[in-house]
Amino acid sequence: MTIREELLSLLICPETGEALSGWDGTSAHGTLTTASGRSYPVTDGIPNLLPDVLRGSAADDTEASEKRSEMQARDAQVKSYDQMLGLKLFTHYEVPLTLKFLPLERSHLMLEGGCGTGRMTKTFAERTRGLLCVDFSRESLRVAKTKVPSSLTERVLFIQADLSRLPTKSEVFDRVGSFGVYEHIPTPEARDGALKHLARTCKSATSGGRMALSAYRWGPPVSWMSEREGHHPGGIYFIRLTQSELKAHCAPHFTVHGATESLLYYHLIWGQKENHG
């Protein structure tokens, strides 16, 4: 079994948890189906595994409406996002610090939850055996794919999916990371769902699993010049949290073993599942 086939075997239906089959993992177009008849299209080599509420045209609650708004904004801003000088400089410092908190080995399978346009994806792909990249912006995923060199494409799989309904099997990834994403998840219930699913997919501490997460920080100097909660241009929701708040959010799902505020704008934390679900 190739690494791509192994990653593909980890995918499940976001609604029923059933296994998926029918796509070879390499063709540009195809369909993934369940035994009960649900189907999910593959376009440009990217399976669409969004939950039903985000696949249709209706947005009948706050969470779905906010997520649809962000999906549209991310798709629309995909060209300008990578041109942001501040983001490029920030990433230069963020990546080595992330690797310190989330050390990677060549034997690892990793989940990158919310890969965006792939500003950290190539780094993760170079250091792991296999990498599953998840985002709900299709245009961002298309850009992220172009940043993976041909020598690494066999061991990287991109899927369009919702972190609050991750369509992957449980306890299969040695490393799970989500960076600069959590603060944009629009409701407390959806944020809790994302933490639950990220932790669910990660191997336990006894198996060597480790998670890392970054999120907007609330406190000086950020709090002197920014709002705590609101919307960025284009309709992207955000919330900023104190370190104690973020740790409290994580506590039901994994134990935080380390945290830093040295990035000032972000918290970066890491931990492991111990006696958590």
Side-chain angles (χ1 to χ4, degrees):
M1 179 185 290
T2 66
I3 299 300
R4 176 65 68 84
E5 290 170 338
E6 183 178 0
L7 291 169
L8 187 57
S9 74
L10 303 181
L11 303 182
I12 59 174
C13 172
E15 302 295 338
T16 67
E18 293 175 274
L20 295 162
S21 63
W23 178 52
D24 60 12
T26 58
S27 299
H29 302 284
T31 304
L32 285 168
T33 60
T34 68
S36 64
R38 286 182 171 270
S39 63
Y40 296 87
V42 179
T43 307
D44 297 327
I46 303 171
N48 180 342
L49 296 177
L50 291 170
D52 289 349
V53 69
L54 295 181
R55 293 175 76 200
S57 58
D60 54 3
D61 60 30
T62 299
E63 178 185 340
S65 178
E66 290 279 9
K67 286 182 176 181
R68 284 184 176 281
S69 178
E70 182 177 352
M71 289 166 64
Q72 293 168 0
R74 297 290 184 189
D75 284 350
Q77 297 172 12
V78 69
K79 291 183 179 179
S80 61
Y81 185 77
D82 280 349
Q83 303 307 313
M84 297 168 60
L85 179 60
L87 183 64
K88 291 180 180 179
L89 293 173
F90 182 79
T91 302
H92 178 75
Y93 292 99
E94 180 186 19
V95 170
L97 189 63
T98 298
L99 294 175
K100 177 181 178 181
F101 277 73
L102 193 70
L104 304 179
E105 297 178 8
R106 187 64 180 83
S107 60
H108 288 160
L109 286 182
M110 180 176 177
L111 170 72
E112 184 183 7
C115 65
T117 59
R119 64 192 181 91
M120 302 174 79
T121 298
K122 180 175 178 287
T123 297
F124 296 149
E126 290 172 336
R127 289 163 170 77
T128 56
R129 182 167 65 89
L131 177 66
L132 181 66
C133 300
V134 181
D135 205 277
F136 61 16
S137 165
R138 175 160 290 276
E139 294 305 315
S140 294
L141 289 164
R142 285 194 178 113
V143 171
K145 281 190 69 177
T146 68
K147 297 179 180 178
V148 177
S150 57
S151 59
L152 299 176
T153 54
E154 172 56 35
R155 60 180 194 244
V156 183
L157 180 63
F158 293 87
I159 66 169
Q160 186 180 17
D162 181 5
L163 293 190
S164 301
R165 299 281 291 278
L166 267 175
T168 68
K169 294 179 180 178
S170 299
E171 297 198 356
V172 291
F173 293 102
D174 303 284
R175 296 290 184 265
V176 171
S178 184
F179 308 103
V181 178
Y182 184 75
E183 65 269 22
H184 298 301
I185 301 175
T187 67
E189 295 78 14
R191 290 192 288 273
D192 186 69
L195 289 172
K196 175 183 177 181
H197 279 276
L198 289 167
R200 176 183 62 78
T201 66
C202 188
K203 291 181 179 178
S204 66
T206 55
S207 298
R210 183 181 293 203
M211 300 174 58
L213 176 81
S214 70
Y216 281 175
R217 173 182 168 272
W218 182 247
V222 177
S223 55
W224 298 341
M225 62 193 77
S226 302
E227 293 181 316
R228 184 174 173 88
E229 185 174 14
H231 289 81
H232 291 314
I236 299 174
Y237 168 86
F238 70 85
I239 187 170
R240 294 184 169 94
L241 304 166
T242 66
Q243 189 177 107
S244 61
E245 287 172 335
L246 185 57
K247 286 181 176 180
H249 290 192
C250 295
H253 308 293
F254 68 96
T255 299
V256 176
H257 292 309
T260 180
E261 296 183 349
S262 60
L263 291 171
L264 295 180
Y265 197 67
Y266 277 90
H267 300 289
L268 179 61
I269 65 174
W270 74 267
Q272 294 176 291
K273 286 193 305 183
E274 294 177 16
N275 295 320
H276 296 276

